[in-house]
Amino acid sequence: MVGVTKVEIKESVQQLHELLVKQKTASSRERVQALYLLKMGQVRTVQDAAFVVGRERVTVQRWLKTYTESGINGLLSTKKSPGRPPIIDGSTKEQLLKELEQPFGFKSYEEIRTWLKAVQGVRASYKVVHDTVRYRMKAKLKVPRAVGIKHNEEAELEFKKNCHNT
């Protein structure tokens, strides 16, 4: 009969049902469901399986080809793209962290940008520098608090000595 699949599904109906229940992603669930329906005999053709699962016939055929070539693990494996490499790489982060640990440190993120460009040759935006330093490296800039013009250290020490914390 034309369209009847000739794929031999090795797993039992019970194993496929348990696997179907365990799936966390919708794409994995659809793939196992297609195998489950074919194994149970509820559908006979790839076209019927595709209709029930809600995918195109070619997609289900591609799933079955993957299943025959690499088994159930190959069918359920999902590839994660690596994404764009970070502008500030690991060695640069280590050097930046050493610079941030120095007692004088940096006064601003703009100063860090200038240092990155001059020393490392890295051109990074303010946002990238701020995000990397503040949130990824969990570092803070060494900026002293502002002190008033009339600030008197002796008066401050005298106040602390005589102040009774209750």
Side-chain angles (χ1 to χ4, degrees):
M1 180 180 217
V2 176
V4 175
T5 180
K6 296 179 177 77
V7 175
E8 184 179 332
I9 301 171
K10 299 171 189 125
E11 290 78 21
S12 68
V13 174
Q14 184 65 28
Q15 288 173 332
L16 287 172
H17 180 68
E18 290 171 4
L19 199 58
L20 183 63
V21 172
K22 290 179 185 176
Q23 295 310 306
K24 293 187 182 351
T25 62
S27 60
S28 298
R29 193 173 298 117
E30 288 172 343
R31 294 167 190 211
V32 174
Q33 184 181 15
L35 289 177
Y36 181 69
L37 292 171
L38 288 167
K39 182 70 174 187
M40 278 183 43
Q42 266 191 322
V43 294
R44 295 191 59 187
T45 64
V46 176
Q47 182 80 29
D48 295 339
F51 181 76
V52 172
V53 174
R55 294 288 175 194
E56 290 293 323
R57 176 189 54 82
V58 177
T59 304
V60 176
Q61 282 178 331
R62 189 177 63 244
W63 292 347
L64 294 174
K65 181 181 177 191
T66 305
Y67 175 75
T68 55
E69 291 173 354
S70 53
I72 193 76
N73 292 332
L75 182 66
L76 296 179
S77 69
T78 54
K79 298 172 187 154
K80 186 174 183 325
S81 65
R84 185 192 314 183
I87 294 172
I88 303 172
D89 62 348
S91 62
T92 307
K93 278 185 188 177
E94 289 174 12
Q95 290 178 345
L96 179 58
L97 193 58
K98 287 178 187 173
E99 289 291 323
L100 285 167
E101 289 172 354
Q102 298 297 323
F104 50 87
F106 292 105
K107 292 182 181 176
S108 68
Y109 293 108
E110 203 58 49
E111 193 175 312
I112 295 174
R113 284 185 66 206
T114 307
W115 179 84
L116 283 170
K117 187 176 179 185
V119 177
Q120 301 296 324
V122 175
R123 295 178 63 109
S125 68
Y126 182 93
K127 184 179 184 307
V128 169
V129 171
H130 178 266
D131 181 64
T132 303
V133 171
R134 184 76 174 103
Y135 300 112
R136 299 190 190 279
M137 297 172 64
K138 306 284 190 220
K140 292 184 180 177
L141 300 179
K142 307 253 191 241
V143 179
R145 291 187 178 214
V147 178
I149 298 171
K150 297 177 183 177
H151 181 259
N152 186 352
E153 285 191 34
E154 290 127 14
E156 181 183 354
L157 291 172
E158 185 68 29
F159 174 78
K160 286 181 180 178
K161 188 171 31 171
N162 294 330
C163 180
H164 299 288
N165 292 336
T166 56

